[in-house]
Amino acid sequence: MLTTTDYGGKEADVVRALEEDIIFGRLAPGTRLVEDVLLARFPVSRHSIRQALYQLEKLGVVTRERNKGAMVRRLSPEEVGQIYEVRELLQRQAALMIPLPASEALIAELTEIHRLYSAHVDARYLRGIHEANDRFHLTMFSACGNDYLVSSIEQYMRLSLPVRANSLADPEQLDVSRRHHEMMIEALKRRDNWVLAQLCVDHLQPSKKFYLDEIGKNGEIGKNGGDAA
C-alpha cells in the first residue's frame, strides 16, 4: 500500500500534513493549493513543496493542471459512478479468486487488523481508521494470488479516496463498515466465494451513497473552491 511513509526528505512531512487535511475534511474538494501559501506554512524549499504536491497527485488526492496549479481532487457524480463501477468489478473478481476456506494465518491476520480498526473507530482516531481499513482490504484481496489485480484495486482505492474520506468521521458509516469487516472474515471461513464477492461489492455502497447525497444537498462539493490557508 502506498503511504506517506514511502517518501523521504523534507517533503514527507508536508505530504503527511496535507494528506491528513484532505482526508479528514480540513481542505475541501476543489481547494487550490497555492505554493506561496504552503511555503508560509511549512519551513521547506519551493522544490520540496512541488515534490510534495507531486506525491499527493500520485496518491490520488490532488490534481494538477498546467497554468492552474494544484487543487484538492474533486469528483463529479459521473466520475464517482465510473470509478465505483471499476472498483466493483475488480473487487468482485478478486473475491471470487480467493481460495476458500481461507487459511488460518489469513483469518488471524485479518482478525488482528480488524481489532485495531475497531479500536481506532472507538477512539475516533481518523488516521488509524483510514490506514487499518486499507490494510484490511489489501491484505484480504492479496489472497487472490494476482498481484496485478491487487495493484489495480489499490489504484482505484486511491482514486476514490475523496469519496471514502467524506464518511470517515461519520459514526453510523463506521459502524456499518465494522460490521461488514466482521461478515467478510466469517465468509472467508466458509466455501461460498459468491457470498464473499457480494459482501465486497455491498461494502462499497454506503460511502458512495453518502458522498452523492452530500453533493445533492450542497451542490457539487467544493465547486467554487478556495485557497489553502
Side-chain angles (χ1 to χ4, degrees), residues 37 45 55 65 68 70 92 98 108 119-120 127 136 138 145 154 166 168 174 185 195 208 212:
V37 175
S45 67
Q55 302 297 354
E65 297 182 33
K68 291 186 178 181
R92 179 185 288 111
I98 297 173
H120 294 323
R127 173 161 286 279
F136 180 93
L138 291 174
E154 183 178 7
N166 202 51
L168 260 181
L174 291 172
I185 291 173
V195 170
K208 179 178 74 172
L212 293 175

Side-chain angles (χ1 to χ4, degrees), residues 165-203:
N166 202 51
S167 60
L168 260 181
D170 184 86
E172 184 176 343
Q173 298 296 319
L174 291 172
D175 286 340
V176 170
S177 179
R178 181 155 47 183
R179 290 196 300 273
H180 283 177
H181 287 182
E182 292 166 354
M183 293 168 67
M184 289 176 196
I185 291 173
E186 289 304 309
L188 285 162
K189 298 176 182 178
R190 294 173 170 78
R191 297 180 180 275
D192 193 336
N193 285 81
W194 286 102
V195 170
L196 177 63
Q198 190 59 51
L199 280 171
C200 292
V201 171
D202 291 345
H203 184 64

Side-chain angles (χ1 to χ4, degrees), residues 99-164:
L100 296 183
S103 68
E104 292 183 4
L106 177 60
I107 296 297
E109 184 175 7
L110 290 172
T111 300
E112 174 60 18
I113 296 170
H114 179 63
R115 185 190 67 79
L116 292 172
Y117 176 81
S118 294
H120 294 323
V121 169
D122 291 338
R124 296 297 186 255
Y125 174 39
L126 298 184
R127 173 161 286 279
I129 294 169
H130 166 64
E131 292 181 349
N133 180 71
D134 282 8
R135 184 182 166 200
F136 180 93
H137 291 291
L138 291 174
T139 298
M140 180 177 68
F141 289 128
S142 291
C144 78
N146 187 319
D147 292 341
Y148 294 97
L149 178 54
V150 176
S151 178
S152 296
I153 289 172
E154 183 178 7
Q155 176 188 357
Y156 276 85
M157 286 172 66
R158 290 200 299 270
L159 285 175
S160 63
L161 186 55
V163 180
R164 298 190 292 132

Side-chain angles (χ1 to χ4, degrees), residues 26 77 202 205:
R26 294 188 287 268
D202 291 345
Q205 307 313 313

